[in-house]
């Protein structure tokens, strides 16, 4: 299958946290994984937040971010889906950041995999609900 993974999944590849085993399974599953370049900035911000909150050491945040290029994803340009992401965000009443992943998934015929349950809940009752799934649900399909 083809999946678009978001930063909530990527961070689980970089630091130990809940559902990291599911993220590791996905990385090793042989599935075709994609991500918009936006994911790099979002992952960096998540690591920064964890370091500021004392959940990880400052040096660990930098070291983890250095591993980003080793992630098993095919990187996609954000600008190719920007207009679609804005339209989705306006239609769903949800931030553009998350809708970039959804727009990419629509563009390449994939499903978004995320650990962000709020995003899944927001999209579920819409026509796009079948295009987003939780990391936990994805791992259960193994």
């Amino acid at each position: 299958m083809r999946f678009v993974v978001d930063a909530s999944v990527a961070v689980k590849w970089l630091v130990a946290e809940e559902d990291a085993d599911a993220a590791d399974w996905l990385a090793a599953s042989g599935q075709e994984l994609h991500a918009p370049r936006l994911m790099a900035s979002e992952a960096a911000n998540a690591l920064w937040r964890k370091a500021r909150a004392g959940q990880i050491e400052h040096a660990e945040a930098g070291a983890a971010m250095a591993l980003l290029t080793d992630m098993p994803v095919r990187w996609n340009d954000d600008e190719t889906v920007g207009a679609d992401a804005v339209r989705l965000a306006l239609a769903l009443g949800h931030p553009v950041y998350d809708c970039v992943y959804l727009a990419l998934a629509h563009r390449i015929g994939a499903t978004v995999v995320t650990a962000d349950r709020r995003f899944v809940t927001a999209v579920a009752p819409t026509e796009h609900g079948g295009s987003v799934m939780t990391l936990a649900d994805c791992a259960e399909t193994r």
Side-chain angles (χ1 to χ4, degrees):
M1 288 194 71
R2 183 179 288 175
F3 295 109
V4 172
V5 293
D6 74 356
S8 68
V9 174
V11 168
K12 293 176 186 315
W13 289 330
L14 299 172
V15 297
E17 62 179 32
E18 186 179 344
D19 289 334
D21 56 335
D24 291 341
W25 168 82
L26 183 60
S29 70
Q31 304 297 329
E32 187 178 323
L33 305 179
H34 291 260
R37 296 205 181 279
L38 168 68
M39 186 178 78
S41 296
E42 287 199 311
N45 195 65
L47 292 169
W48 169 80
R49 278 194 325 265
K50 287 181 172 298
R52 296 261 312 178
Q55 296 171 346
I56 61 174
E57 297 294 323
H58 286 204
E60 184 182 355
M65 194 59 200
L67 298 174
L68 186 75
T69 57
D70 296 333
M71 290 184 173
V73 298
R74 296 179 187 184
W75 294 97
N76 294 260
D77 296 328
D78 299 347
E79 61 272 14
T80 63
V81 297
D84 292 337
V86 170
R87 282 191 284 277
L88 285 165
L90 290 168
L92 297 170
H94 197 81
V96 170
Y97 301 110
D98 290 338
C99 292
V100 167
Y101 298 96
L102 182 56
L104 176 59
H106 285 327
R107 171 80 44 104
I108 65 172
T111 301
V112 177
V113 176
T114 180
D116 182 352
R117 292 185 189 280
R118 282 189 345 231
F119 183 43
V120 174
T121 300
V123 176
T126 74
E127 64 186 287
H128 309 287
S131 298
V132 180
M133 69 188 315
T134 65
L135 175 60
D137 287 343
C138 183
E140 284 180 12
T141 65
R142 37 180 154 171

